[in-house]
Amino acid sequence: MNKILVELGNRTYPIYIGSNLLSNPELYTQHIKSKQVVVISNETIAPLYLETVIKQLSSFQVESVILPDGEQYKTLEYVTRIFDELLANKFSRNSTLIALGGGVIGDMGGFAAACYQRGINFIQIPTTLLAQVDSSVGGKTGVNHPLGKNMIGAFYQPQCVIADADVLDTLDDRQLAAGLAEVIKYGLIRDLDFFVWLENNISALLARDKNALSYAIEKSCLNKAEIVSEDETETGVRATLNLGHTFGHAIETGSGYGVYLHGEAVAIGTCQAADLSRRKGWLTTEDVERIIKLFEQCNLPTTPPKDLDSERFIDLMSVDKKNIDGQIRVILLKQIGVATLPIGVDKASLRETLDTYGR
Ligand code: NAD
Ligand code: GLY
Protein backbone atom coordinates (compact mmCIF):
# COMPACT_ATOMS: atom_id res chain seq x y z
CA MET A 1 0.00 0.00 0.00
CA ASN A 2 1.15 3.52 -0.75
CA LYS A 3 0.28 6.52 1.39
CA ILE A 4 0.24 10.09 0.09
CA LEU A 5 -0.43 12.99 2.44
CA VAL A 6 -2.55 16.01 1.62
CA GLU A 7 -0.71 18.53 3.79
CA LEU A 8 -3.18 20.96 5.36
CA GLY A 9 -1.74 21.69 8.81
CA ASN A 10 -3.85 20.10 11.52
CA ARG A 11 -6.29 18.88 8.83
CA THR A 12 -3.60 16.88 6.99
CA TYR A 13 -4.96 13.53 5.81
CA PRO A 14 -3.75 10.39 4.03
CA ILE A 15 -4.73 8.94 0.68
CA TYR A 16 -4.23 5.17 0.87
CA ILE A 17 -3.64 3.62 -2.55
CA GLY A 18 -3.29 -0.10 -3.18
CA SER A 19 -4.96 -3.47 -3.47
CA ASN A 20 -7.39 -5.22 -1.14
CA LEU A 21 -7.85 -2.09 0.99
CA LEU A 22 -11.64 -2.36 1.36
CA SER A 23 -11.23 -5.41 3.59
CA ASN A 24 -8.63 -3.82 5.85
CA PRO A 25 -10.65 -2.67 8.90
CA GLU A 26 -7.82 -0.65 10.44
CA LEU A 27 -7.84 1.78 7.56
CA TYR A 28 -11.38 2.78 8.48
CA THR A 29 -11.53 2.42 12.22
CA GLN A 30 -8.54 4.64 13.01
CA HIS A 31 -10.41 7.52 11.33
CA ILE A 32 -13.79 6.92 13.02
CA LYS A 33 -14.36 8.78 16.26
CA SER A 34 -17.64 7.43 17.64
CA LYS A 35 -20.15 4.59 17.40
CA GLN A 36 -22.40 5.99 14.67
CA VAL A 37 -21.41 5.47 11.03
CA VAL A 38 -23.48 6.03 7.89
CA VAL A 39 -22.38 4.72 4.49
CA ILE A 40 -23.70 6.60 1.45
CA SER A 41 -23.70 4.69 -1.83
CA ASN A 42 -25.84 4.08 -4.88
CA GLU A 43 -27.91 1.28 -6.41
CA THR A 44 -25.06 0.10 -8.64
CA ILE A 45 -22.16 0.19 -6.20
CA ALA A 46 -23.94 -1.01 -3.05
CA PRO A 47 -24.57 -4.57 -4.32
CA LEU A 48 -20.88 -4.81 -5.27
CA TYR A 49 -19.06 -3.36 -2.24
CA LEU A 50 -21.36 -2.27 0.60
CA GLU A 51 -21.30 -5.64 2.37
CA THR A 52 -17.48 -5.73 2.40
CA VAL A 53 -17.33 -2.24 3.86
CA ILE A 54 -19.98 -2.91 6.51
CA LYS A 55 -18.21 -6.15 7.53
CA GLN A 56 -15.17 -4.13 8.56
CA LEU A 57 -17.35 -1.99 10.84
CA SER A 58 -18.76 -4.70 13.11
CA SER A 59 -18.13 -2.75 16.31
CA PHE A 60 -20.11 0.31 15.12
CA GLN A 61 -23.78 1.24 14.68
CA VAL A 62 -23.91 1.33 10.88
CA GLU A 63 -26.72 2.68 8.70
CA SER A 64 -26.65 3.02 4.94
CA VAL A 65 -28.33 5.35 2.47
CA ILE A 66 -28.60 4.03 -1.07
CA LEU A 67 -29.30 6.71 -3.66
CA PRO A 68 -30.32 6.25 -7.30
CA ASP A 69 -27.40 6.11 -9.74
CA GLY A 70 -26.69 9.10 -11.96
CA GLU A 71 -25.44 12.66 -12.34
CA GLN A 72 -29.08 13.80 -12.62
CA TYR A 73 -29.57 12.87 -8.95
CA LYS A 74 -26.68 15.04 -7.76
CA THR A 75 -29.15 17.55 -6.36
CA LEU A 76 -30.16 19.18 -3.10
CA GLU A 77 -33.28 16.99 -3.09
CA TYR A 78 -31.20 13.81 -2.80
CA VAL A 79 -28.81 15.31 -0.25
CA THR A 80 -31.92 16.00 1.84
CA ARG A 81 -32.61 12.26 1.80
CA ILE A 82 -29.28 11.75 3.54
CA PHE A 83 -30.23 14.34 6.18
CA ASP A 84 -33.62 12.61 6.62
CA GLU A 85 -31.91 9.31 7.35
CA LEU A 86 -29.34 10.84 9.73
CA LEU A 87 -32.06 12.63 11.70
CA ALA A 88 -34.41 9.65 11.73
CA ASN A 89 -31.60 7.56 13.23
CA LYS A 90 -30.62 10.33 15.67
CA PHE A 91 -27.07 10.60 14.40
CA SER A 92 -25.07 13.01 16.50
CA ARG A 93 -22.36 15.49 15.69
CA ASN A 94 -19.50 13.09 16.30
CA SER A 95 -20.80 10.48 13.83
CA THR A 96 -18.94 9.51 10.64
CA LEU A 97 -20.18 9.59 7.04
CA ILE A 98 -18.48 7.26 4.54
CA ALA A 99 -19.01 8.01 0.84
CA LEU A 100 -18.67 4.76 -1.11
CA GLY A 101 -18.87 5.50 -4.82
CA GLY A 102 -17.77 7.60 -7.74
CA GLY A 103 -17.56 11.36 -7.90
CA VAL A 104 -21.33 11.83 -7.68
CA ILE A 105 -21.63 9.99 -4.36
CA GLY A 106 -18.37 11.53 -3.10
CA ASP A 107 -19.49 15.08 -3.87
CA MET A 108 -22.98 14.57 -2.40
CA GLY A 109 -21.78 12.63 0.63
CA GLY A 110 -19.11 15.22 1.33
CA PHE A 111 -21.62 18.04 1.05
CA ALA A 112 -24.00 16.24 3.43
CA ALA A 113 -21.10 15.71 5.86
CA ALA A 114 -20.17 19.40 5.62
CA CYS A 115 -23.72 20.55 6.38
CA TYR A 116 -25.12 18.01 8.86
CA GLN A 117 -24.98 19.65 12.27
CA ARG A 118 -22.42 22.04 10.69
CA GLY A 119 -19.95 19.28 9.93
CA ILE A 120 -19.35 15.63 10.79
CA ASN A 121 -16.45 13.25 10.28
CA PHE A 122 -16.08 12.16 6.67
CA ILE A 123 -14.28 9.34 4.82
CA GLN A 124 -13.99 8.95 1.05
CA ILE A 125 -13.92 5.50 -0.58
CA PRO A 126 -13.75 6.35 -4.28
CA THR A 127 -14.79 3.53 -6.63
CA THR A 128 -14.21 5.04 -10.08
CA LEU A 129 -10.88 5.95 -11.60
CA LEU A 130 -12.07 9.55 -11.85
CA ALA A 131 -12.93 9.67 -8.17
CA GLN A 132 -9.63 8.00 -7.16
CA VAL A 133 -7.48 10.43 -9.14
CA ASP A 134 -9.45 13.62 -8.62
CA SER A 135 -12.82 14.10 -6.98
CA SER A 136 -12.19 12.29 -3.66
CA VAL A 137 -9.07 14.38 -2.99
CA GLY A 138 -9.13 18.03 -2.04
CA GLY A 139 -12.46 18.62 -0.33
CA LYS A 140 -14.62 20.05 -3.09
CA THR A 141 -18.14 18.87 -2.35
CA GLY A 142 -21.52 19.88 -3.68
CA VAL A 143 -24.43 19.40 -6.03
CA ASN A 144 -25.62 20.63 -9.40
CA HIS A 145 -28.32 23.23 -10.08
CA PRO A 146 -30.45 23.14 -13.26
CA LEU A 147 -28.73 26.38 -14.28
CA GLY A 148 -25.17 25.35 -13.51
CA LYS A 149 -22.89 22.43 -12.69
CA ASN A 150 -21.55 22.16 -9.10
CA MET A 151 -22.99 25.58 -8.27
CA ILE A 152 -24.00 24.72 -4.70
CA GLY A 153 -21.29 23.35 -2.43
CA ALA A 154 -18.62 23.66 0.23
CA PHE A 155 -14.94 22.96 0.76
CA TYR A 156 -14.85 20.13 3.27
CA GLN A 157 -11.88 17.81 3.64
CA PRO A 158 -12.19 14.11 4.48
CA GLN A 159 -10.30 12.34 7.28
CA CYS A 160 -8.83 9.94 4.73
CA VAL A 161 -9.25 8.62 1.20
CA ILE A 162 -9.15 4.87 0.60
CA ALA A 163 -8.42 4.21 -3.10
CA ASP A 164 -8.55 0.46 -3.69
CA ALA A 165 -7.49 -0.26 -7.29
CA ASP A 166 -9.27 -3.65 -7.17
CA VAL A 167 -12.71 -1.99 -7.35
CA LEU A 168 -11.85 -0.74 -10.82
CA ASP A 169 -12.25 -4.35 -12.07
CA THR A 170 -16.03 -3.88 -12.16
CA LEU A 171 -15.90 -0.46 -13.83
CA ASP A 172 -16.89 -0.45 -17.50
CA ASP A 173 -14.55 0.76 -20.25
CA ARG A 174 -16.44 4.00 -20.86
CA GLN A 175 -16.09 4.99 -17.19
CA LEU A 176 -12.42 4.00 -17.14
CA ALA A 177 -11.79 6.24 -20.15
CA ALA A 178 -13.64 9.12 -18.48
CA GLY A 179 -11.26 8.80 -15.53
CA LEU A 180 -8.28 8.87 -17.86
CA ALA A 181 -9.39 12.32 -19.08
CA GLU A 182 -8.66 13.72 -15.59
CA VAL A 183 -5.39 11.74 -15.42
CA ILE A 184 -4.25 13.31 -18.70
CA LYS A 185 -5.16 16.71 -17.25
CA TYR A 186 -2.34 16.48 -14.66
CA GLY A 187 0.20 15.87 -17.40
CA LEU A 188 -1.11 18.79 -19.41
CA ILE A 189 -1.23 21.37 -16.64
CA ARG A 190 2.00 20.67 -14.75
CA ASP A 191 3.79 17.40 -15.51
CA LEU A 192 5.26 16.98 -19.00
CA ASP A 193 7.13 13.78 -18.02
CA PHE A 194 3.84 12.24 -16.88
CA PHE A 195 2.17 13.31 -20.14
CA VAL A 196 4.91 11.56 -22.12
CA TRP A 197 4.59 8.51 -19.84
CA LEU A 198 0.85 8.48 -20.59
CA GLU A 199 1.51 8.65 -24.33
CA ASN A 200 3.81 5.64 -24.01
CA ASN A 201 1.60 3.62 -21.66
CA ILE A 202 -1.93 4.39 -22.80
CA SER A 203 -2.45 0.86 -24.21
CA ALA A 204 -1.42 -0.70 -20.87
CA LEU A 205 -3.84 1.59 -19.02
CA LEU A 206 -6.70 0.74 -21.37
CA ALA A 207 -5.87 -2.95 -20.95
CA ARG A 208 -6.14 -2.35 -17.17
CA ASP A 209 -2.56 -3.35 -16.43
CA LYS A 210 -2.48 -3.14 -12.61
CA ASN A 211 1.02 -1.67 -12.40
CA ALA A 212 0.27 1.00 -14.97
CA LEU A 213 -3.03 1.89 -13.29
CA SER A 214 -1.44 2.11 -9.83
CA TYR A 215 1.33 4.34 -11.19
CA ALA A 216 -1.22 6.63 -12.87
CA ILE A 217 -3.35 6.85 -9.70
CA GLU A 218 -0.33 7.62 -7.53
CA LYS A 219 1.09 10.23 -9.91
CA SER A 220 -2.31 11.91 -10.20
CA CYS A 221 -2.87 11.94 -6.43
CA LEU A 222 0.64 13.31 -5.85
CA ASN A 223 -0.03 16.15 -8.29
CA LYS A 224 -3.43 16.85 -6.79
CA ALA A 225 -2.17 16.69 -3.19
CA GLU A 226 0.58 19.21 -3.98
CA ILE A 227 -1.86 21.61 -5.60
CA VAL A 228 -4.46 21.35 -2.83
CA SER A 229 -1.79 21.78 -0.13
CA GLU A 230 -0.67 24.97 -1.82
CA ASP A 231 -4.11 26.41 -2.53
CA GLU A 232 -6.95 24.67 -0.71
CA THR A 233 -9.74 27.12 -1.57
CA GLU A 234 -8.74 27.94 -5.14
CA THR A 235 -7.45 31.46 -4.91
CA GLY A 236 -4.65 30.63 -7.35
CA VAL A 237 -3.00 27.50 -8.72
CA ARG A 238 -5.88 25.14 -7.86
CA ALA A 239 -7.88 26.72 -10.67
CA THR A 240 -5.52 25.05 -13.18
CA LEU A 241 -7.29 21.78 -12.31
CA ASN A 242 -10.18 23.29 -14.23
CA LEU A 243 -8.46 22.97 -17.60
CA GLY A 244 -11.22 22.21 -20.10
CA HIS A 245 -13.87 22.36 -17.39
CA THR A 246 -15.53 25.67 -18.32
CA PHE A 247 -16.25 24.28 -21.78
CA GLY A 248 -16.95 20.84 -20.27
CA HIS A 249 -19.43 22.05 -17.68
CA ALA A 250 -21.29 23.95 -20.43
CA ILE A 251 -21.52 20.69 -22.40
CA GLU A 252 -22.79 18.78 -19.35
CA THR A 253 -25.40 21.39 -18.42
CA GLY A 254 -26.38 22.14 -22.03
CA SER A 255 -26.82 18.49 -23.00
CA GLY A 256 -28.67 17.55 -19.79
CA TYR A 257 -26.81 16.01 -16.83
CA GLY A 258 -25.82 12.41 -17.48
CA VAL A 259 -25.76 12.52 -21.30
CA TYR A 260 -22.00 13.11 -21.41
CA LEU A 261 -19.91 11.64 -18.61
CA HIS A 262 -17.99 14.32 -16.73
CA GLY A 263 -14.65 13.02 -18.05
CA GLU A 264 -15.98 12.95 -21.61
CA ALA A 265 -17.10 16.56 -21.39
CA VAL A 266 -13.69 17.47 -19.91
CA ALA A 267 -11.91 15.73 -22.80
CA ILE A 268 -13.87 17.78 -25.35
CA GLY A 269 -13.41 20.96 -23.31
CA THR A 270 -9.67 20.37 -23.06
CA CYS A 271 -9.41 20.07 -26.85
CA GLN A 272 -11.34 23.35 -27.17
CA ALA A 273 -9.00 24.97 -24.61
CA ALA A 274 -6.02 23.62 -26.58
CA ASP A 275 -7.43 25.13 -29.77
CA LEU A 276 -7.84 28.49 -28.04
CA SER A 277 -4.29 28.21 -26.66
CA ARG A 278 -3.05 27.68 -30.23
CA ARG A 279 -4.94 30.78 -31.41
CA LYS A 280 -3.16 32.72 -28.65
CA GLY A 281 0.13 31.55 -30.17
CA TRP A 282 1.11 29.35 -27.24
CA LEU A 283 0.51 25.79 -28.46
CA THR A 284 1.62 24.63 -31.90
CA THR A 285 -0.70 22.75 -34.25
CA GLU A 286 1.41 19.64 -33.48
CA ASP A 287 0.83 20.12 -29.73
CA VAL A 288 -2.94 20.28 -30.27
CA GLU A 289 -2.86 17.18 -32.47
CA ARG A 290 -0.82 15.34 -29.83
CA ILE A 291 -3.44 16.16 -27.17
CA ILE A 292 -6.38 15.17 -29.38
CA LYS A 293 -4.62 11.91 -30.31
CA LEU A 294 -4.19 10.87 -26.67
CA PHE A 295 -7.88 11.44 -25.92
CA GLU A 296 -8.85 9.62 -29.12
CA GLN A 297 -6.71 6.64 -28.12
CA CYS A 298 -8.85 6.46 -24.96
CA ASN A 299 -11.99 6.45 -27.13
CA LEU A 300 -12.99 9.77 -25.59
CA PRO A 301 -14.98 12.31 -27.62
CA THR A 302 -12.93 15.29 -28.78
CA THR A 303 -15.45 17.50 -30.58
CA PRO A 304 -18.41 19.43 -29.11
CA PRO A 305 -22.03 18.33 -29.62
CA LYS A 306 -23.37 19.72 -32.89
CA ASP A 307 -26.61 20.94 -31.32
CA LEU A 308 -24.84 23.20 -28.81
CA ASP A 309 -24.27 26.40 -30.78
CA SER A 310 -21.73 29.07 -29.85
CA GLU A 311 -24.35 31.45 -28.46
CA ARG A 312 -25.66 28.81 -26.06
CA PHE A 313 -22.08 27.79 -25.16
CA ILE A 314 -21.22 31.37 -24.19
CA ASP A 315 -24.42 31.69 -22.21
CA LEU A 316 -23.65 28.50 -20.28
CA MET A 317 -19.98 29.41 -19.78
CA SER A 318 -21.12 32.67 -18.20
CA VAL A 319 -22.25 30.63 -15.17
CA ASP A 320 -18.89 29.49 -13.81
CA LYS A 321 -17.19 29.90 -10.45
CA LYS A 322 -14.02 31.28 -12.04
CA ASN A 323 -15.79 34.19 -13.70
CA ILE A 324 -15.31 37.67 -12.26
CA ASP A 325 -17.79 40.50 -12.84
CA GLY A 326 -19.48 38.48 -15.53
CA GLN A 327 -16.32 37.96 -17.62
CA ILE A 328 -15.69 34.39 -18.75
CA ARG A 329 -12.31 33.14 -17.52
CA VAL A 330 -10.69 29.91 -18.64
CA ILE A 331 -7.51 27.93 -18.06
CA LEU A 332 -5.30 27.70 -21.14
CA LEU A 333 -1.98 26.01 -21.90
CA LYS A 334 1.26 27.95 -22.43
CA GLN A 335 2.76 24.65 -23.52
CA ILE A 336 2.14 20.98 -22.78
CA GLY A 337 2.92 20.70 -19.06
CA VAL A 338 2.37 24.41 -18.27
CA ALA A 339 -1.09 25.90 -17.62
CA THR A 340 -2.09 29.53 -17.18
CA LEU A 341 -4.08 30.78 -14.21
CA PRO A 342 -7.66 31.76 -15.16
CA ILE A 343 -7.56 34.38 -17.89
CA GLY A 344 -10.39 36.53 -19.15
CA VAL A 345 -11.15 35.80 -22.77
CA ASP A 346 -12.72 38.27 -25.13
CA LYS A 347 -15.85 36.93 -26.74
CA ALA A 348 -14.41 37.32 -30.27
CA SER A 349 -11.53 34.84 -29.80
CA LEU A 350 -13.73 32.52 -27.77
CA ARG A 351 -16.25 32.57 -30.61
CA GLU A 352 -13.55 31.63 -33.11
CA THR A 353 -12.84 28.44 -31.22
CA LEU A 354 -16.52 27.72 -30.57
CA ASP A 355 -17.49 28.38 -34.21
CA THR A 356 -14.68 26.46 -35.84
CA TYR A 357 -13.06 23.81 -33.62
CA GLY A 358 -14.70 20.43 -34.34
CA ARG A 359 -17.56 22.03 -36.29
P1 NAD B 1 -20.20 8.60 -11.12
O1 NAD B 1 -20.03 8.85 -9.70
O2 NAD B 1 -21.51 8.87 -11.76
O3 NAD B 1 -19.78 7.08 -11.41
C1 NAD B 1 -19.83 6.62 -12.72
C2 NAD B 1 -20.66 5.35 -12.86
O4 NAD B 1 -19.91 4.23 -12.44
C3 NAD B 1 -21.93 5.31 -12.05
O5 NAD B 1 -22.93 4.68 -12.79
C4 NAD B 1 -21.54 4.49 -10.85
O6 NAD B 1 -22.64 3.87 -10.25
C5 NAD B 1 -20.64 3.48 -11.48
N1 NAD B 1 -19.62 2.91 -10.60
C6 NAD B 1 -18.88 3.56 -9.68
N2 NAD B 1 -17.95 2.74 -9.18
C7 NAD B 1 -18.09 1.56 -9.79
C8 NAD B 1 -17.41 0.32 -9.72
N3 NAD B 1 -16.34 0.16 -8.95
N4 NAD B 1 -17.83 -0.71 -10.47
C9 NAD B 1 -18.90 -0.53 -11.31
N5 NAD B 1 -19.57 0.62 -11.45
C10 NAD B 1 -19.17 1.64 -10.70
O7 NAD B 1 -19.13 9.42 -11.99
P2 NAD B 1 -17.60 9.80 -11.74
O8 NAD B 1 -17.02 9.90 -13.09
O9 NAD B 1 -16.97 8.94 -10.73
O10 NAD B 1 -17.70 11.25 -11.10
C11 NAD B 1 -18.22 12.34 -11.82
C12 NAD B 1 -18.66 13.39 -10.84
O11 NAD B 1 -17.53 13.83 -10.09
C13 NAD B 1 -19.25 14.62 -11.48
O12 NAD B 1 -20.42 14.98 -10.78
C14 NAD B 1 -18.19 15.68 -11.31
O13 NAD B 1 -18.71 16.96 -11.24
C15 NAD B 1 -17.55 15.26 -10.03
N6 NAD B 1 -16.17 15.72 -9.86
C16 NAD B 1 -15.85 16.31 -8.69
C17 NAD B 1 -14.56 16.72 -8.45
C18 NAD B 1 -14.19 17.31 -7.12
O14 NAD B 1 -13.08 17.83 -6.99
N7 NAD B 1 -15.03 17.21 -6.13
C19 NAD B 1 -13.57 16.54 -9.44
C20 NAD B 1 -13.93 15.93 -10.62
C21 NAD B 1 -15.25 15.51 -10.82
N1 GLY C 1 -11.38 18.95 -9.63
C1 GLY C 1 -10.98 20.29 -9.43
C2 GLY C 1 -10.49 20.57 -8.06
O1 GLY C 1 -10.48 19.72 -7.21
O2 GLY C 1 -10.12 21.67 -7.80
Side-chain angles (χ1 to χ4, degrees):
M1 184 182 77
N2 227 312
K3 181 171 154 185
I4 292 170
L5 288 182
V6 182
E7 307 267 6
L8 289 168
N10 60 7
R11 290 174 300 115
T12 294
Y13 60 91
I15 308 167
Y16 304 111
I17 302 168
S19 236
N20 216 12
L21 304 188
L22 246 53
S23 39
N24 180 348
E26 253 193 36
L27 288 184
Y28 306 57
T29 49
Q30 62 180 313
H31 296 288
I32 297 176
K33 293 169 182 151
S34 77
K35 280 262 158 230
Q36 295 173 311
V37 178
V38 64
V39 185
I40 313 300
S41 196
N42 77 18
E43 285 162 349
T44 306
I45 301 149
L48 296 169
Y49 301 113
L50 183 61
E51 197 186 323
T52 308
V53 170
I54 289 181
K55 233 189 230 164
Q56 316 312 315
L57 301 168
S58 53
S59 54
F60 299 91
Q61 174 204 336
V62 185
E63 303 293 338
S64 54
V65 180
I66 309 304
L67 298 172
D69 182 2
E71 183 75 38
Q72 64 273 36
Y73 303 108
K74 189 176 148 182
T75 61
L76 277 178
E77 183 193 342
Y78 284 91
V79 169
T80 302
R81 293 204 182 177
I82 302 175
F83 298 144
D84 293 347
E85 204 65 31
L86 290 169
L87 287 166
N89 286 290
K90 307 202 164 34
F91 266 57
S92 38
R93 216 171 133 189
N94 59 354
S95 49
T96 295
L97 184 151
I98 298 179
L100 172 69
V104 168
I105 289 296
D107 282 11
M108 291 169 82
F111 187 51
C115 298
Y116 186 71
Q117 299 197 18
R118 302 203 180 92
I120 59 172
N121 206 39
F122 169 43
I123 291 176
Q124 284 270 22
I125 306 185
T127 61
T128 61
L129 179 62
L130 184 139
Q132 295 189 348
V133 299
D134 191 355
S135 63
S136 66
V137 176
K140 277 192 184 175
T141 72
V143 294
N144 300 325
H145 186 279
L147 296 180
K149 172 94 180 133
N150 293 338
M151 277 293 140
I152 320 292
F155 285 102
Y156 196 65
Q157 302 292 345
Q159 295 297 309
C160 72
V161 178
I162 302 172
D164 186 336
D166 294 342
V167 302
L168 302 182
D169 289 346
T170 52
L171 200 64
D172 68 32
D173 289 344
R174 186 177 170 204
Q175 297 291 348
L176 188 85
L180 287 172
E182 299 279 21
V183 173
I184 292 168
K185 172 183 81 179
Y186 294 109
L188 287 172
I189 61 172
R190 74 195 301 263
D191 196 339
L192 176 60
D193 289 348
F194 186 40
F195 184 81
V196 173
W197 182 88
L198 288 166
E199 288 183 313
N200 293 330
N201 289 275
I202 201 65
S203 309
L205 289 166
L206 291 166
R208 297 168 186 256
D209 176 285
K210 285 261 153 110
N211 289 332
L213 273 175
S214 296
Y215 180 79
I217 295 167
E218 277 165 34
K219 263 286 183 194
S220 302
C221 286
L222 270 171
N223 273 298
K224 178 123 191 204
E226 276 177 23
I227 292 174
V228 170
S229 299
E230 193 180 326
D231 177 23
E232 182 183 7
T233 55
E234 199 170 306
T235 52
V237 69
R238 184 162 182 172
T240 60
L241 290 167
N242 274 301
L243 175 69
H245 283 57
T246 313
F247 296 97
H249 286 166
I251 292 168
E252 284 186 85
T253 308
S255 306
Y257 297 124
V259 173
Y260 283 87
L261 301 181
H262 176 70
E264 291 173 341
V266 166
I268 299 167
T270 301
C271 295
Q272 290 174 296
D275 181 78
L276 190 47
S277 306
R278 181 185 60 77
R279 287 174 198 280
K280 289 261 181 205
W282 295 331
L283 291 189
T284 62
T285 304
E286 292 70 37
D287 289 332
V288 178
E289 282 168 0
R290 214 173 141 188
I291 294 167
I292 295 172
K293 182 175 169 207
L294 191 52
F295 286 128
E296 281 176 349
Q297 284 177 306
C298 300
N299 297 315
L300 285 161
T302 54
T303 55
K306 297 273 178 269
D307 56 355
L308 207 56
D309 63 37
S310 305
E311 224 33 70
R312 177 91 175 110
F313 244 111
I314 289 175
D315 190 41
L316 289 162
M317 290 172 82
S318 308
V319 182
D320 186 275
K321 295 187 287 306
K322 289 184 300 303
N323 295 347
I324 292 181
D325 292 337
Q327 189 187 26
I328 295 175
R329 302 198 315 153
V330 296
I331 307 301
L332 296 179
L333 291 173
K334 285 274 182 182
Q335 56 192 68
I336 293 180
V338 182
T340 66
L341 290 175
I343 46 175
V345 280
D346 60 284
K347 289 204 174 137
S349 25
L350 182 59
R351 270 205 87 106
E352 271 179 22
T353 283
L354 292 173
D355 285 345
T356 56
Y357 173 75
R359 298 301 191 176

